[in-house]
Amino acid sequence: MTDLMFRYATRSDLPAIVALLADDEKGKTREQLTDPLPECYYRAFDHMESVSSDTLPNKYLLAICDAEIVGCLQLTLIPGLSRQGRLRAQIEGVRVSSHHRGKKIGEALILRAIDISRDLGASLVQFTTDKSRKDAHRFYERLGFVASHEGMKRDI
Amino acid sequence: MTDLMFRYATRSDLPAIVALLADDEKGKTREQLTDPLPECYYRAFDHMESVSSDTLPNKYLLAICDAEIVGCLQLTLIPGLSRQGRLRAQIEGVRVSSHHRGKKIGEALILRAIDISRDLGASLVQFTTDKSRKDAHRFYERLGFVASHEGMKRDI
């Protein structure tokens, strides 16, 4: 296991995070990694912050190795009524730098997100993953996730 | 099309909402519909309200027919960084009263949630649906949703 640290992202981490989001088969066509970064990412970050708190975060969790951001995921805690008012944790945007794959950074990041979520009272973690990412599915199943649901999306 | 009205839920709607959540093959084993309702639902509602706003709602949207709550869904707007900072709308807990099925209430409710989400700046709507709900998948596909993702869950 690589020696990792974890912390939530700040605004100044955005270029590194967007670089990670774009460092991916799907992400490279979806993101716009320019210098300076397009303003849309800063607006989105501020938007996240506006509804995020320590007890109900909507934040990017970062994995840091030797002062470099090598992995990220978005962690959102969502209160709701179903299942007797269970608090859900939701994950989006999981990425590990292509230069640091095979070091169990993704696993450590997911496990850290689960620990944080449990500490905050969540009893369910969920996310969706593109059906074409077969390797990712095996990875998540090893971590105890079950592909019990269809993940449906529609552009509007 | 049945003559429907839509509004967000208030705290006093909770017994009717939990009755709807329980009026379902999966929900009937998951919910606890007692009189009075278990305190967990009220706590969860207050938790939802604490992070919800008019511009970034995390609310239950209700379909009302002749003053009766006949359908519901949880609508959560989630800001994030991926896909150039797209605002996502997420739906959970879609239910239509078993006494009112076949009247296109579910369709009207989903379309209203899409309209609200678009007006608030979201460009993607997503949700997960249990793989055993085959009829639901066809229904959502008719509404333009694509089952492009695996929906993964883990109890923690």
Side-chain angles (χ1 to χ4, degrees), chain A residues 2 24 37-38 40 44 46-47 61 75 85 109 116 125:
Chain A
T2 310
D24 171 82
L37 209 57
C40 58
D46 294 342
H47 216 179
L61 179 66
L75 178 64
L109 197 50
I116 293 171
V125 179

mmCIF file of all heavy atoms in Angstrom, chain A residues 2 24 37-38 40 44 46-47 61 75 85 109 116 125:
data_model
loop_
_atom_site.group_PDB
_atom_site.id
_atom_site.type_symbol
_atom_site.label_atom_id
_atom_site.label_comp_id
_atom_site.label_asym_id
_atom_site.label_seq_id
_atom_site.Cartn_x
_atom_site.Cartn_y
_atom_site.Cartn_z
ATOM 1 N N THR A 2 0.622 2.126 -0.965
ATOM 2 C CA THR A 2 1.320 3.411 -1.020
ATOM 3 C C THR A 2 0.975 4.238 0.219
ATOM 4 O O THR A 2 -0.127 4.148 0.744
ATOM 5 C CB THR A 2 0.850 4.181 -2.279
ATOM 6 O OG1 THR A 2 0.948 3.308 -3.390
ATOM 7 C CG2 THR A 2 1.676 5.414 -2.517
ATOM 8 N N ASP A 24 -8.845 9.942 -18.229
ATOM 9 C CA ASP A 24 -9.768 8.809 -18.201
ATOM 10 C C ASP A 24 -10.434 8.707 -19.559
ATOM 11 O O ASP A 24 -10.687 9.716 -20.213
ATOM 12 C CB ASP A 24 -10.809 9.106 -17.094
ATOM 13 C CG ASP A 24 -11.959 8.126 -17.093
ATOM 14 O OD1 ASP A 24 -11.787 7.042 -16.524
ATOM 15 O OD2 ASP A 24 -13.018 8.450 -17.668
ATOM 16 N N LEU A 37 -8.152 27.346 -16.070
ATOM 17 C CA LEU A 37 -9.299 26.447 -16.124
ATOM 18 C C LEU A 37 -10.577 27.243 -16.453
ATOM 19 O O LEU A 37 -10.729 28.366 -15.975
ATOM 20 C CB LEU A 37 -9.436 25.838 -14.726
ATOM 21 C CG LEU A 37 -10.016 24.466 -14.533
ATOM 22 C CD1 LEU A 37 -9.248 23.412 -15.324
ATOM 23 C CD2 LEU A 37 -10.008 24.125 -13.039
ATOM 24 N N PRO A 38 -11.485 26.665 -17.246
ATOM 25 C CA PRO A 38 -12.739 27.391 -17.507
ATOM 26 C C PRO A 38 -13.474 27.742 -16.209
ATOM 27 O O PRO A 38 -13.455 26.972 -15.245
ATOM 28 C CB PRO A 38 -13.556 26.387 -18.327
ATOM 29 C CG PRO A 38 -12.553 25.478 -18.947
ATOM 30 C CD PRO A 38 -11.428 25.390 -17.956
ATOM 31 N N CYS A 40 -16.434 27.624 -15.437
ATOM 32 C CA CYS A 40 -17.532 26.731 -15.026
ATOM 33 C C CYS A 40 -17.134 25.836 -13.860
ATOM 34 O O CYS A 40 -17.964 25.522 -12.995
ATOM 35 C CB CYS A 40 -18.021 25.893 -16.208
ATOM 36 S SG CYS A 40 -16.752 24.857 -16.982
ATOM 37 N N ALA A 44 -18.974 25.759 -10.254
ATOM 38 C CA ALA A 44 -19.508 24.492 -9.720
ATOM 39 C C ALA A 44 -18.952 24.215 -8.326
ATOM 40 O O ALA A 44 -19.679 23.759 -7.434
ATOM 41 C CB ALA A 44 -19.175 23.344 -10.668
ATOM 42 N N ASP A 46 -17.978 26.444 -6.091
ATOM 43 C CA ASP A 46 -18.650 27.350 -5.153
ATOM 44 C C ASP A 46 -20.078 26.887 -4.872
ATOM 45 O O ASP A 46 -20.590 27.011 -3.751
ATOM 46 C CB ASP A 46 -18.660 28.782 -5.704
ATOM 47 C CG ASP A 46 -17.254 29.362 -5.797
ATOM 48 O OD1 ASP A 46 -16.332 28.821 -5.133
ATOM 49 O OD2 ASP A 46 -17.066 30.348 -6.545
ATOM 50 N N HIS A 47 -20.711 26.343 -5.897
ATOM 51 C CA HIS A 47 -22.069 25.812 -5.777
ATOM 52 C C HIS A 47 -22.079 24.622 -4.802
ATOM 53 O O HIS A 47 -22.960 24.497 -3.949
ATOM 54 C CB HIS A 47 -22.529 25.385 -7.170
ATOM 55 C CG HIS A 47 -23.983 25.612 -7.439
ATOM 56 N ND1 HIS A 47 -24.571 25.302 -8.636
ATOM 57 C CD2 HIS A 47 -24.980 26.094 -6.663
ATOM 58 C CE1 HIS A 47 -25.856 25.591 -8.585
ATOM 59 N NE2 HIS A 47 -26.129 26.063 -7.404
ATOM 60 N N LEU A 61 -13.128 14.427 -2.113
ATOM 61 C CA LEU A 61 -12.137 13.832 -1.221
ATOM 62 C C LEU A 61 -10.909 13.500 -2.072
ATOM 63 O O LEU A 61 -11.035 12.892 -3.145
ATOM 64 C CB LEU A 61 -12.714 12.557 -0.598
ATOM 65 C CG LEU A 61 -11.807 11.791 0.353
ATOM 66 C CD1 LEU A 61 -11.513 12.602 1.624
ATOM 67 C CD2 LEU A 61 -12.447 10.440 0.743
ATOM 68 N N LEU A 75 -17.939 13.043 -2.753
ATOM 69 C CA LEU A 75 -18.730 12.379 -1.712
ATOM 70 C C LEU A 75 -19.880 13.307 -1.307
ATOM 71 O O LEU A 75 -19.651 14.443 -0.890
ATOM 72 C CB LEU A 75 -17.845 12.082 -0.495
ATOM 73 C CG LEU A 75 -18.546 11.428 0.705
ATOM 74 C CD1 LEU A 75 -19.086 10.045 0.350
ATOM 75 C CD2 LEU A 75 -17.587 11.326 1.893
ATOM 76 N N GLY A 85 -35.883 6.501 6.608
ATOM 77 C CA GLY A 85 -35.117 7.735 6.761
ATOM 78 C C GLY A 85 -33.613 7.534 6.789
ATOM 79 O O GLY A 85 -32.886 8.307 7.410
ATOM 80 N N LEU A 109 -9.180 5.045 -1.309
ATOM 81 C CA LEU A 109 -10.045 6.228 -1.394
ATOM 82 C C LEU A 109 -11.499 5.852 -1.108
ATOM 83 O O LEU A 109 -12.198 6.536 -0.340
ATOM 84 C CB LEU A 109 -9.886 6.806 -2.803
ATOM 85 C CG LEU A 109 -10.299 8.207 -3.158
ATOM 86 C CD1 LEU A 109 -9.753 9.249 -2.204
ATOM 87 C CD2 LEU A 109 -9.850 8.507 -4.595
ATOM 88 N N ILE A 116 -15.780 7.729 6.436
ATOM 89 C CA ILE A 116 -16.337 9.062 6.697
ATOM 90 C C ILE A 116 -17.864 8.994 6.739
ATOM 91 O O ILE A 116 -18.512 9.545 7.632
ATOM 92 C CB ILE A 116 -15.889 10.065 5.606
ATOM 93 C CG1 ILE A 116 -14.375 10.311 5.677
ATOM 94 C CG2 ILE A 116 -16.661 11.380 5.720
ATOM 95 C CD1 ILE A 116 -13.825 11.109 4.491
ATOM 96 N N VAL A 125 -24.038 3.157 0.953
ATOM 97 C CA VAL A 125 -23.217 3.910 -0.014
ATOM 98 C C VAL A 125 -23.651 3.485 -1.404
ATOM 99 O O VAL A 125 -23.839 2.283 -1.667
ATOM 100 C CB VAL A 125 -21.713 3.619 0.144
ATOM 101 C CG1 VAL A 125 -20.905 4.399 -0.889
ATOM 102 C CG2 VAL A 125 -21.247 3.995 1.529
#
